Amino acid sequence: MTNQHPPALQTPSVAPAQAAPTPAAAQTLPSMPTPTPTPTRNPYATLAIVGFVLSFLVPVNVVGLGVSIVVLVKSMRAGYTSKLAVAGIIIASIFIVLMSVFLLFFFVLFMPIYLEGL
């Protein structure tokens, strides 16, 4: 009772062949860890800050509105969002509307007084 399996099912007792050694140039070096890409900053961030600050200054808030619009358009084309540019547009627009209303009431209120004095 040495072997009860038929000869077709027996496994050969030959050791597996070893792979041929590779030349030194073909060997791969251990892989270095790849650096994680750092998120890039919006290239128009400084102009967004300038537009935001200028939107608060009453004599030049129209310039702040223009700068903020330009920054928003260029940032969107570059694939970035600029919340400061949006805030600058909103704040400058509100100040421009308030100044227009103030000047309208000022002229309506004081123009008759000014014209009587002439």
Side-chain angles (χ1 to χ4, degrees):
M1 278 216 212
T2 59
N3 194 356
Q4 296 179 358
H5 296 288
L9 295 178
Q10 290 180 355
T11 58
S13 62
V14 177
Q18 294 181 350
T22 58
Q27 292 179 351
T28 59
L29 297 175
S31 63
M32 301 277 297
T34 58
T36 56
T38 57
T40 57
R41 192 176 138 201
N42 186 349
Y44 301 103
T46 305
L47 277 177
I49 294 170
V50 169
F52 182 73
V53 169
L54 288 178
S55 68
F56 283 102
L57 304 175
V58 175
V60 291
N61 57 4
V62 176
V63 175
L65 177 66
V67 169
S68 295
I69 290 172
V70 168
V71 167
L72 182 64
V73 169
K74 287 191 177 261
S75 293
M76 295 296 273
R77 286 185 184 166
Y80 296 97
T81 58
S82 179
K83 294 178 182 178
L84 277 177
V86 173
I89 292 170
I90 293 170
I91 292 169
S93 300
I94 290 171
F95 275 123
I96 289 171
V97 168
L98 288 176
M99 281 303 297
S100 299
V101 169
F102 173 75
L103 288 175
L104 180 69
F105 283 129
F106 180 78
F107 284 122
V108 167
L109 183 64
F110 290 111
M111 191 55 91
I113 296 170
Y114 176 74
L115 291 176
E116 286 179 9
L118 291 178

